[in-house]
PDB file of all heavy atoms in Angstrom:
ATOM      1  N   GLN A   9      67.903 116.004  82.925  1.00 97.00           N
ATOM      2  CA  GLN A   9      68.073 117.139  82.001  1.00 97.00           C
ATOM      3  C   GLN A   9      69.329 116.945  81.166  1.00 97.00           C
ATOM      4  O   GLN A   9      70.374 116.551  81.688  1.00 97.00           O
ATOM      5  CB  GLN A   9      68.209 118.445  82.787  1.00 97.00           C
ATOM      6  CG  GLN A   9      66.982 118.750  83.621  1.00 97.00           C
ATOM      7  CD  GLN A   9      66.982 120.170  84.186  1.00 97.00           C
ATOM      8  OE1 GLN A   9      67.730 121.029  83.731  1.00 97.00           O
ATOM      9  NE2 GLN A   9      66.151 120.395  85.172  1.00 97.00           N
ATOM     10  N   GLU A  10      69.215 117.275  79.870  1.00 97.00           N
ATOM     11  CA  GLU A  10      70.409 117.286  79.006  1.00 97.00           C
ATOM     12  C   GLU A  10      71.329 118.402  79.467  1.00 97.00           C
ATOM     13  O   GLU A  10      70.861 119.470  79.867  1.00 97.00           O
ATOM     14  CB  GLU A  10      69.998 117.588  77.560  1.00 97.00           C
ATOM     15  CG  GLU A  10      69.393 116.425  76.801  1.00 97.00           C
ATOM     16  CD  GLU A  10      70.416 115.351  76.464  1.00 97.00           C
ATOM     17  OE1 GLU A  10      71.631 115.591  76.623  1.00 97.00           O
ATOM     18  OE2 GLU A  10      69.980 114.251  76.069  1.00 97.00           O
ATOM     19  N   PRO A  11      72.658 118.216  79.373  1.00 97.00           N
ATOM     20  CA  PRO A  11      73.538 119.336  79.713  1.00 97.00           C
ATOM     21  C   PRO A  11      73.339 120.480  78.712  1.00 97.00           C
ATOM     22  O   PRO A  11      73.095 120.220  77.538  1.00 97.00           O
ATOM     23  CB  PRO A  11      74.946 118.744  79.588  1.00 97.00           C
ATOM     24  CG  PRO A  11      74.801 117.455  78.864  1.00 97.00           C
ATOM     25  CD  PRO A  11      73.386 117.003  78.992  1.00 97.00           C
ATOM     26  N   VAL A  12      73.430 121.696  79.209  1.00 96.00           N
ATOM     27  CA  VAL A  12      73.131 122.858  78.357  1.00 96.00           C
ATOM     28  C   VAL A  12      73.977 122.820  77.078  1.00 96.00           C
ATOM     29  O   VAL A  12      73.477 123.053  75.985  1.00 96.00           O
ATOM     30  CB  VAL A  12      73.378 124.167  79.148  1.00 96.00           C
ATOM     31  CG1 VAL A  12      73.263 125.394  78.244  1.00 96.00           C
ATOM     32  CG2 VAL A  12      72.403 124.270  80.327  1.00 96.00           C
ATOM     33  N   LEU A  13      75.259 122.483  77.210  1.00 96.00           N
ATOM     34  CA  LEU A  13      76.125 122.488  76.014  1.00 96.00           C
ATOM     35  C   LEU A  13      76.148 121.140  75.283  1.00 96.00           C
ATOM     36  O   LEU A  13      76.918 120.952  74.353  1.00 96.00           O
ATOM     37  CB  LEU A  13      77.561 122.897  76.397  1.00 96.00           C
ATOM     38  CG  LEU A  13      77.723 124.290  77.018  1.00 96.00           C
ATOM     39  CD1 LEU A  13      79.205 124.637  77.167  1.00 96.00           C
ATOM     40  CD2 LEU A  13      77.022 125.375  76.211  1.00 96.00           C
ATOM     41  N   ARG A  14      75.316 120.199  75.724  1.00 95.00           N
ATOM     42  CA  ARG A  14      75.161 118.893  75.050  1.00 95.00           C
ATOM     43  C   ARG A  14      76.474 118.112  74.908  1.00 95.00           C
ATOM     44  O   ARG A  14      76.666 117.359  73.968  1.00 95.00           O
ATOM     45  CB  ARG A  14      74.561 119.058  73.643  1.00 95.00           C
ATOM     46  CG  ARG A  14      73.315 119.890  73.599  1.00 95.00           C
ATOM     47  CD  ARG A  14      72.098 119.017  73.571  1.00 95.00           C
ATOM     48  NE  ARG A  14      70.981 119.731  74.179  1.00 95.00           N
ATOM     49  CZ  ARG A  14      69.744 119.286  74.203  1.00 95.00           C
ATOM     50  NH1 ARG A  14      69.473 118.111  73.715  1.00 95.00           N
ATOM     51  NH2 ARG A  14      68.783 119.970  74.760  1.00 95.00           N
ATOM     52  N   LYS A  15      77.425 118.349  75.830  1.00 95.00           N
ATOM     53  CA  LYS A  15      78.690 117.620  75.739  1.00 95.00           C
ATOM     54  C   LYS A  15      78.558 116.257  76.417  1.00 95.00           C
ATOM     55  O   LYS A  15      77.779 116.102  77.353  1.00 95.00           O
ATOM     56  CB  LYS A  15      79.808 118.418  76.438  1.00 95.00           C
ATOM     57  CG  LYS A  15      80.181 119.679  75.689  1.00 95.00           C
ATOM     58  CD  LYS A  15      81.200 120.478  76.445  1.00 95.00           C
ATOM     59  CE  LYS A  15      82.575 119.822  76.390  1.00 95.00           C
ATOM     60  NZ  LYS A  15      83.634 120.668  76.969  1.00 95.00           N
ATOM     61  N   ARG A  16      79.355 115.273  75.968  1.00 97.00           N
ATOM     62  CA  ARG A  16      79.299 113.943  76.568  1.00 97.00           C
ATOM     63  C   ARG A  16      80.705 113.368  76.747  1.00 97.00           C
ATOM     64  O   ARG A  16      81.646 113.784  76.064  1.00 97.00           O
ATOM     65  CB  ARG A  16      78.441 112.993  75.708  1.00 97.00           C
ATOM     66  CG  ARG A  16      77.059 113.567  75.438  1.00 97.00           C
ATOM     67  CD  ARG A  16      76.024 112.533  75.105  1.00 97.00           C
ATOM     68  NE  ARG A  16      75.653 111.620  76.169  1.00 97.00           N
ATOM     69  CZ  ARG A  16      74.715 111.858  77.085  1.00 97.00           C
ATOM     70  NH1 ARG A  16      74.072 112.985  77.127  1.00 97.00           N
ATOM     71  NH2 ARG A  16      74.425 110.934  77.975  1.00 97.00           N
ATOM     72  N   ILE A  17      80.825 112.413  77.682  1.00 96.00           N
ATOM     73  CA  ILE A  17      82.113 111.764  77.964  1.00 96.00           C
ATOM     74  C   ILE A  17      81.916 110.254  77.755  1.00 96.00           C
ATOM     75  O   ILE A  17      80.955 109.690  78.285  1.00 96.00           O
ATOM     76  CB  ILE A  17      82.533 111.994  79.433  1.00 96.00           C
ATOM     77  CG1 ILE A  17      82.641 113.489  79.726  1.00 96.00           C
ATOM     78  CG2 ILE A  17      83.845 111.280  79.763  1.00 96.00           C
ATOM     79  CD1 ILE A  17      82.729 113.793  81.229  1.00 96.00           C
ATOM     80  N   PRO A  18      82.793 109.587  76.979  1.00 96.00           N
ATOM     81  CA  PRO A  18      82.604 108.140  76.783  1.00 96.00           C
ATOM     82  C   PRO A  18      82.864 107.362  78.066  1.00 96.00           C
ATOM     83  O   PRO A  18      83.698 107.752  78.880  1.00 96.00           O
ATOM     84  CB  PRO A  18      83.653 107.784  75.718  1.00 96.00           C
ATOM     85  CG  PRO A  18      84.637 108.893  75.747  1.00 96.00           C
ATOM     86  CD  PRO A  18      83.947 110.110  76.267  1.00 96.00           C
ATOM     87  N   ILE A  19      82.144 106.248  78.239  1.00 95.00           N
ATOM     88  CA  ILE A  19      82.420 105.329  79.355  1.00 95.00           C
ATOM     89  C   ILE A  19      83.222 104.165  78.766  1.00 95.00           C
ATOM     90  O   ILE A  19      82.762 103.494  77.836  1.00 95.00           O
ATOM     91  CB  ILE A  19      81.124 104.728  79.939  1.00 95.00           C
ATOM     92  CG1 ILE A  19      80.132 105.813  80.308  1.00 95.00           C
ATOM     93  CG2 ILE A  19      81.431 103.831  81.131  1.00 95.00           C
ATOM     94  CD1 ILE A  19      78.747 105.260  80.671  1.00 95.00           C
ATOM     95  N   ILE A  20      84.413 103.931  79.333  1.00 92.00           N
ATOM     96  CA  ILE A  20      85.256 102.840  78.821  1.00 92.00           C
ATOM     97  C   ILE A  20      85.274 101.709  79.847  1.00 92.00           C
ATOM     98  O   ILE A  20      85.544 101.944  81.029  1.00 92.00           O
ATOM     99  CB  ILE A  20      86.686 103.347  78.559  1.00 92.00           C
ATOM    100  CG1 ILE A  20      86.630 104.443  77.498  1.00 92.00           C
ATOM    101  CG2 ILE A  20      87.605 102.201  78.114  1.00 92.00           C
ATOM    102  CD1 ILE A  20      87.913 105.167  77.275  1.00 92.00           C
ATOM    103  N   ASN A  21      84.965 100.506  79.387  1.00 92.00           N
ATOM    104  CA  ASN A  21      85.075  99.335  80.265  1.00 92.00           C
ATOM    105  C   ASN A  21      86.568  98.983  80.368  1.00 92.00           C
ATOM    106  O   ASN A  21      87.184  98.615  79.365  1.00 92.00           O
ATOM    107  CB  ASN A  21      84.276  98.180  79.646  1.00 92.00           C
ATOM    108  CG  ASN A  21      84.346  96.919  80.499  1.00 92.00           C
ATOM    109  OD1 ASN A  21      85.295  96.720  81.255  1.00 92.00           O
ATOM    110  ND2 ASN A  21      83.337  96.071  80.365  1.00 92.00           N
ATOM    111  N   PRO A  22      87.172  99.094  81.564  1.00 91.00           N
ATOM    112  CA  PRO A  22      88.621  98.903  81.653  1.00 91.00           C
ATOM    113  C   PRO A  22      89.074  97.466  81.387  1.00 91.00           C
ATOM    114  O   PRO A  22      90.247  97.236  81.096  1.00 91.00           O
ATOM    115  CB  PRO A  22      88.947  99.316  83.100  1.00 91.00           C
ATOM    116  CG  PRO A  22      87.675  99.217  83.844  1.00 91.00           C
ATOM    117  CD  PRO A  22      86.563  99.424  82.869  1.00 91.00           C
ATOM    118  N   THR A  23      88.150  96.504  81.464  1.00 89.00           N
ATOM    119  CA  THR A  23      88.528  95.112  81.200  1.00 89.00           C
ATOM    120  C   THR A  23      88.671  94.850  79.703  1.00 89.00           C
ATOM    121  O   THR A  23      89.538  94.108  79.265  1.00 89.00           O
ATOM    122  CB  THR A  23      87.461  94.146  81.767  1.00 89.00           C
ATOM    123  OG1 THR A  23      87.130  94.577  83.075  1.00 89.00           O
ATOM    124  CG2 THR A  23      87.935  92.717  81.783  1.00 89.00           C
ATOM    125  N   THR A  24      87.790  95.490  78.919  1.00 90.00           N
ATOM    126  CA  THR A  24      87.775  95.205  77.480  1.00 90.00           C
ATOM    127  C   THR A  24      88.280  96.383  76.635  1.00 90.00           C
ATOM    128  O   THR A  24      88.518  96.221  75.450  1.00 90.00           O
ATOM    129  CB  THR A  24      86.331  94.910  77.032  1.00 90.00           C
ATOM    130  OG1 THR A  24      85.541  96.086  77.313  1.00 90.00           O
ATOM    131  CG2 THR A  24      85.743  93.721  77.772  1.00 90.00           C
ATOM    132  N   GLU A  25      88.430  97.527  77.259  1.00 90.00           N
ATOM    133  CA  GLU A  25      88.788  98.788  76.591  1.00 90.00           C
ATOM    134  C   GLU A  25      87.701  99.246  75.610  1.00 90.00           C
ATOM    135  O   GLU A  25      87.930 100.120  74.778  1.00 90.00           O
ATOM    136  CB  GLU A  25      90.133  98.687  75.866  1.00 90.00           C
ATOM    137  CG  GLU A  25      91.292  98.423  76.802  1.00 90.00           C
ATOM    138  CD  GLU A  25      92.654  98.473  76.110  1.00 90.00           C
ATOM    139  OE1 GLU A  25      92.820  99.283  75.186  1.00 90.00           O
ATOM    140  OE2 GLU A  25      93.535  97.693  76.522  1.00 90.00           O
ATOM    141  N   GLU A  26      86.510  98.647  75.684  1.00 92.00           N
ATOM    142  CA  GLU A  26      85.434  99.049  74.768  1.00 92.00           C
ATOM    143  C   GLU A  26      84.662 100.233  75.336  1.00 92.00           C
ATOM    144  O   GLU A  26      84.490 100.347  76.563  1.00 92.00           O
ATOM    145  CB  GLU A  26      84.442  97.890  74.595  1.00 92.00           C
ATOM    146  CG  GLU A  26      84.931  96.842  73.633  1.00 92.00           C
ATOM    147  CD  GLU A  26      84.126  95.541  73.772  1.00 92.00           C
ATOM    148  OE1 GLU A  26      83.114  95.530  74.522  1.00 92.00           O
ATOM    149  OE2 GLU A  26      84.547  94.566  73.152  1.00 92.00           O
TER     150      GLU A  26
END
Side-chain angles (χ1 to χ4, degrees):
Q9 299 192 16
E10 282 289 349
V12 172
L13 299 188
R14 309 261 152 174
K15 290 176 73 172
R16 306 203 67 86
I17 301 167
I19 307 170
I20 299 172
N21 180 335
T23 314
T24 60
E25 297 186 35
E26 281 164 7

